[in-house]
Amino acid sequence: MKSLTEQMSTHPDSATALIFGSDAATYGELRAAVDVFAQTLLGERADLDEERIAMLLPSGRDYVVALLGIWRAGGVAVPLSTAAAAKELEYALRTARATRLIACEDTADKVAAACRSLGINILAVAAEARDADVALPSVSPERRAMMLFTSGTTSQPKGVVSSHRNIAAQITALIDAWRWTADDRIPLFLPLHHIHGIVNVLCCALWAGARVELIDGFDAGTLLRNVADRRYNVFMAVPTIYVKLIAAIEKLDDQQRETVCAGFGEMRLMVSGSAACPVSVHEQWRGLTGQTLLERYGMTEIGMALSNPYDADRRPGTVGQPLPGVEVILVDESGERIDGEGRPGEIWVRGENVFAEYWDNPDATAKEFTDGWFRTGDIAELDDGYYRILGRSSVDIIKSGGYKLSALEIESALLDNDAIAECAVVGMPDDTWGEAVHAAVVLANSAELSADELRSWCRARMSNYKVPKAIHFMDGLPRNAMGKVTKQAVKALL
Ligand code: MLC
Ligand code: AMP
């Protein structure tokens, strides 16, 4: 199987690869910049031999050059969130055992102290460019390529490691199923430390020889203007973004609304994923733009697994069928495979798309696999040949605006506050975020703390999107006969 950089070498030099601000880069320019950066990273070495190189970069040309340069030189890219708190970044750098970090002027300060204490060198993309003509290594598909941090049922995020083969399999499944071509033009406004933005948008577009417009963060106004100008024909977003776009479209005057909706209506493909898209949002979107969103299901560990069809019936409320090369089964609580329709079971996935391992965590890796199948923790049923996601096996995982958050991680951070005796974090249904983080908090004897004080205390310690949207002060938490806090009872109380 080809790697992304090998596939990119087949695209014409003059074709536009990236648009960023008022600038652009052709495939020829991008390839040259990637090779120079790979050489810079190598220095006198022949191969980075899976050295973990972290990236803390906003969306832009340098991000793409850094990611592909690390891959080209045989390293493991560890893209980090520019929205993360210093403490979270320090944890990721330490866990990945990163040795170098690529940053820019705006991001370097946040990690400077952590890098100093961990002995990590900070470098920039442009400043390090040089002309030395060093041969680049040949990197086998089995080698580790990327580590993405994912929150889950543990109080600390795990590093999900994918090989070049895994990533190529994730990309090619979508190239096939969604008919990517070199004529495609897509905006990329999603965060670049998760597979939705990295694999589904950036890597797929580069694989196809298409054009990606890099926009640093979602801004409805900018996007609607660009859509009115017909700059894109493919669009991928999380449900929260469609909710926000609907609200923004509704504020436009009649003429603007007509132009924008026609712009969306003319696109060849609009995809929703990373969280359940409510049927009402599907319907509103179709009502406004005439587009039937294609909903699909995926996960950091597996890329995309299930997708509604490109050119057959797309059914709101379902996530379609397995993608090419991806095997999916449903398994009941006793471990038996479910064959019929209408019976809920856990989604198990197998294929080259499935990740290699949790970094430095063989126990966690072993725990999530049975007979070569990755157990997702998501529950689904088959409904007339289409998979329907019913929920998750763990109440401690919250999906807010497409981000997967761990209730345990947020609780553990809250408990660092001396005023808090105990707490329980849960995800409550929310029209905009899908689920919103709520915290039930019991204060220590005689402690005083307002919700606003606690929220600003949180901001210094966690990514802003993890900060509880609501804080409920309580006298005690509901517990079962074993003395364990029952999250379902907490949710019922809230
Ligand atoms: C922002 N905020 C959030 C939030 N995003 N709160 C809860 N959940 C979120 N997801 C808060 C901020 O903290 C801030 O709060 C306020 O909202 C405004 O921040 P913002 O940055 O201006 O918001 P906005 O740009 O509108 O961001 C919303 C968003 C963003 C939906 C564009 O969350 C986003 O890009 N989500 C996508 C995440 C993603 O790519 N997931 C894919 C994972 S991979 P305050 O209090 O400071 O005002 C995966 C696999 C798969 O899931 O299947 O794809
Ligand atoms: P992450 O770990 O951030 O990659 O998030 C993966 C999780 O997002 C999956 O395990 C699902 O719970 C959820 N998810 C992704 N797509 C969908 C979808 N279309 N419908 C419901 N849940 C989804």
Side-chain angles (χ1 to χ4, degrees), residues 394-457:
S394 168
V395 71
D396 286 321
I397 291 174
I398 301 169
K399 262 269 156 162
S400 169
Y403 283 117
K404 180 151 116 180
L405 311 177
S406 160
L408 302 179
E409 185 187 335
I410 300 171
E411 284 163 8
S412 139
L414 290 175
L415 288 173
D416 281 343
N417 187 311
D418 292 338
I420 297 180
E422 50 179 357
C423 64
V425 166
V426 291
M428 298 297 284
D430 187 277
D431 287 344
T432 299
W433 303 110
E435 287 179 303
V437 174
H438 283 224
V441 168
V442 180
L443 290 180
N445 272 343
S446 76
E448 284 183 22
L449 183 68
S450 71
D452 281 348
E453 281 166 348
L454 181 52
R455 282 167 48 81
S456 52
W457 183 88

Side-chain angles (χ1 to χ4, degrees), residues 150 274-276 295-300 319 378 392 399 404:
T150 188
S274 299
E295 184 164 357
R296 65 21 171 216
Y297 158 88
M299 193 174 182
T300 305
V319 290
D378 290 308
R392 277 183 297 270
K399 262 269 156 162
K404 180 151 116 180

